[in-house]
Amino acid sequence: MTKNAKGRLRLLVSMLALVVLLSSCGGGSSKPGDVNGEKVTLQFWTIALQPTFTPYFNRVIADYEQKNPNVKIDWKDYPYDAVTNKLLTSIASGSSPDVVNLNTEFASQMGSKGAVVDMNEYLSPEEKAAYFEGIYNSTVINGKAYALPWYTGTEVLYMNTKLVKAAGLDPAHPPKTREELSEWGRQINRKIGKAGYAQQLVSKLFAIDGIPILNKEKTAAAFNTPEAVAMLENLKKQMEDGVVLKEDADFSQQVKYYAGEQVAFELAGPTFINFIKTAAPDVYKNTIAFPVPTGKADVRLSNTMDLVVPTKSAHVKEAVKFAVFLTNAESQTAFSKAANTLPSTKDSIKDPYFTQSDQSLEAQAKVVSAQSLDKATDYMVGVPNAKDVNSAITRAFQNILLNGTDTKQTLAALEKEVNDILKQ
């Protein structure tokens, strides 16, 4: 970790500690004016949504204010890099916003410090049941839900039908598990000399097989297990067999390999389509999309944005009510159509937009992504210093899979490194 990074980390920890202190000193109740019918102004912060989605938010805010004439929404939008520091500073100075857009990782971190309210105290069972369970539970720690899930995304399996058919496989019956995907990759390599797919060596490889990164208390590494050793040894064998390219391939490299028909599959979100359509139009024409095969954990990984209500909000009840409105099925369906995202609400995907396809690759990806939501979960929930933990895991994976270091010894060293990171 660089000196500047350590400085930012110390600042963040200090500010979070101050937030905890302030959160324990009261707050979280509505002002007397709320019950006397006076106008309540809610400060609503989002991340990098202006100006692209300004028309949508202007409409939804106007609709909410019409239905709730005593409430005015003051919407502000900030860059991703600025919103967390600005939030911590505002809470520490006693001028907290009321509803804030955060990613799951930071929402959980704020929740663990007591800086945001427990949604379970305010939502009815029916309101909680509106969200996909795995996504809603992504911010539940020790029975407390620290955020409402908003828009999300899942990976899709993209298949080059020309290569698959050349290897004697039937694209109409795609692999449904990682084991089946591996067998397809072996046959493709054996028959036509291509690889199955390229991937990045990151911590989600643990999550796919249900190997926890940290213990339940998020205080120590939990991945140094026989299951992790077996997973990594299996991945070594897959690289030897041509199932997976022996490389730590970032997204741009994956696009390049798929566009060059060096691999038959790609596991990525819907944005992949735009890149492949531009880089290799002929390959795009031969590509179809399916739900991404699951590993031993039988989950699909999501990347969700959430809404939180800071405990220092002066209008907690009103803020929660607005957050519920923004994340209800009607609002999420409309936003998904505007933003090409996935909703976290069950009823949203009943809309024909998510169920009907014109057979274009874009429509296929949208439909299969929506079908994956019932198994979706966010795998880095509540991990402290997640960026540093991820970097350490990636280096260990590279050493084991690319440089040939001993799996058990490297995992033991990684366990110590992660535990040291958690103590910082």
Side-chain angles (χ1 to χ4, degrees):
M1 183 185 295
T2 66
K3 183 177 180 180
N4 287 340
K6 289 181 179 178
R8 288 194 298 271
L9 178 60
R10 284 195 296 269
L11 177 61
L12 180 62
V13 171
S14 299
M15 294 178 75
L16 279 172
L18 181 57
V19 167
V20 174
L21 177 62
L22 290 172
S23 298
S24 66
C25 296
S29 61
S30 297
K31 290 181 179 178
D34 300 343
V35 296
N36 292 334
E38 295 180 10
K39 199 85 165 180
V40 169
T41 297
L42 297 180
Q43 296 290 327
F44 170 44
W45 292 5
T46 57
I47 301 173
L49 295 177
Q50 291 181 3
T52 306
F53 304 111
T54 296
Y56 166 81
F57 283 100
N58 284 344
R59 288 194 302 270
V60 76
I61 289 172
D63 182 27
Y64 188 79
E65 290 178 341
Q66 183 179 18
K67 293 174 180 176
N68 299 270
N70 291 335
V71 177
K72 178 174 177 54
I73 307 300
D74 183 10
W75 174 39
K76 291 181 171 62
D77 189 72
Y78 298 103
Y80 180 83
D81 292 339
V83 72
T84 52
N85 284 338
K86 188 169 182 63
L87 174 61
L88 293 173
T89 301
S90 68
I91 294 176
S93 66
S95 57
S96 170
D98 301 287
V99 179
V100 185
N101 169 202
L102 297 176
N103 63 19
T104 299
E105 175 192 333
F106 196 69
S108 297
Q109 189 169 348
M110 293 286 286
S112 67
K113 303 298 183 182
V116 294
V117 304
D118 174 14
M119 295 292 183
N120 282 338
E121 294 183 2
Y122 296 89
L123 270 61
S124 68
E126 292 76 21
E127 287 172 329
K128 286 187 284 188
Y131 307 97
F132 286 101
E133 184 177 1
I135 300 176
Y136 182 82
N137 287 340
S138 291
T139 57
V140 174
I141 301 175
N142 297 325
K144 296 182 178 181
Y146 292 119
L148 293 183
W150 198 9
Y151 59 95
T152 190
T154 60
E155 289 184 339
V156 171
L157 174 67
Y158 296 98
M159 177 190 298
N160 185 321
T161 56
K162 185 182 79 172
L163 298 184
V164 166
K165 289 176 181 177
L169 296 162
D170 183 4
H173 298 89
K176 293 183 172 61
T177 66
R178 291 285 172 146
E179 289 80 6
E180 291 175 1
L181 181 61
S182 294
E183 290 307 313
W184 278 50
R186 286 188 180 90
Q187 183 163 331
I188 287 166
N189 184 259
R190 188 170 62 249
K191 295 280 188 178
I192 62 174
K194 308 290 185 178
Y197 58 98
Q199 70 179 7
Q200 201 159 9
L201 304 181
V202 292
S203 54
K204 73 176 183 180
L205 298 179
F206 279 147
I208 289 169
D209 271 4
I211 299 166
I213 296 171
L214 305 182
N215 60 14
K216 291 182 179 180
E217 295 76 24
K218 311 294 184 186
T219 57
F223 51 73
N224 189 10
T225 63
E227 290 77 14
V229 173
M231 181 274 287
L232 288 163
E233 290 298 321
N234 181 53
L235 190 49
K236 270 188 187 177
K237 183 69 165 59
Q238 289 179 347
M239 289 180 171
E240 292 170 2
D241 293 346
V243 174
V244 181
L245 282 181
K246 191 173 182 179
E247 185 174 333
D248 184 5
D250 63 19
F251 181 71
S252 62
Q253 291 170 308
Q254 291 175 33
V255 171
K256 175 180 137 183
Y257 290 134
Y258 190 88
E261 295 193 319
Q262 293 173 262
V263 298
F265 306 109
E266 169 65 14
L267 286 68
T271 56
F272 171 76
I273 298 172
N274 300 326
F275 291 93
I276 201 66
K277 194 172 186 177
T278 301
D282 290 339
V283 176
Y284 163 83
K285 292 176 184 177
N286 290 325
T287 298
I288 55 179
F290 295 99
V292 72
T294 56
K296 292 179 181 178
D298 194 29
V299 297
R300 294 190 172 98
L301 305 180
S302 63
N303 184 17
T304 304
M305 297 299 283
D306 306 300
L307 293 179
V308 302
V309 173
T311 53
K312 293 301 293 182
S313 165
H315 313 287
V316 169
K317 291 181 181 179
E318 291 80 4
V320 171
K321 183 178 179 181
F322 178 58
V324 170
F325 178 80
L326 279 175
T327 60
N328 69 23
E330 182 180 355
S331 297
Q332 288 215 41
T333 301
F335 186 65
S336 292
K337 291 178 180 180
N340 194 27
T341 59
L342 291 178
S344 58
T345 42
K346 298 173 186 175
D347 282 348
S348 290
I349 65 165
K350 297 176 184 177
D351 188 281
Y353 178 79
F354 296 106
T355 60
Q356 296 178 2
S357 172
D358 61 7
Q359 298 310 308
S360 67
L361 182 57
E362 290 81 355
Q364 290 176 29
K366 175 186 65 183
V367 171
V368 300
S369 293
Q371 292 172 348
S372 300
L373 288 171
D374 62 337
K375 293 180 181 293
T377 186
D378 196 318
Y379 71 100
M380 285 300 285
V381 174
V383 175
N385 304 336
K387 183 177 180 180
D388 293 328
V389 171
N390 270 326
S391 295
I393 291 173
T394 290
R395 287 193 298 272
F397 283 172
Q398 290 171 341
N399 284 331
I400 293 169
L401 298 169
L402 307 182
N403 302 329
T405 62
D406 181 80
T407 302
K408 291 183 179 180
Q409 291 179 4
T410 305
L411 277 180
L414 174 62
E415 179 182 31
K416 182 181 183 305
E417 182 178 1
V418 168
N419 286 340
D420 288 341
I421 291 171
L422 296 175
K423 294 173 185 176
Q424 292 175 354

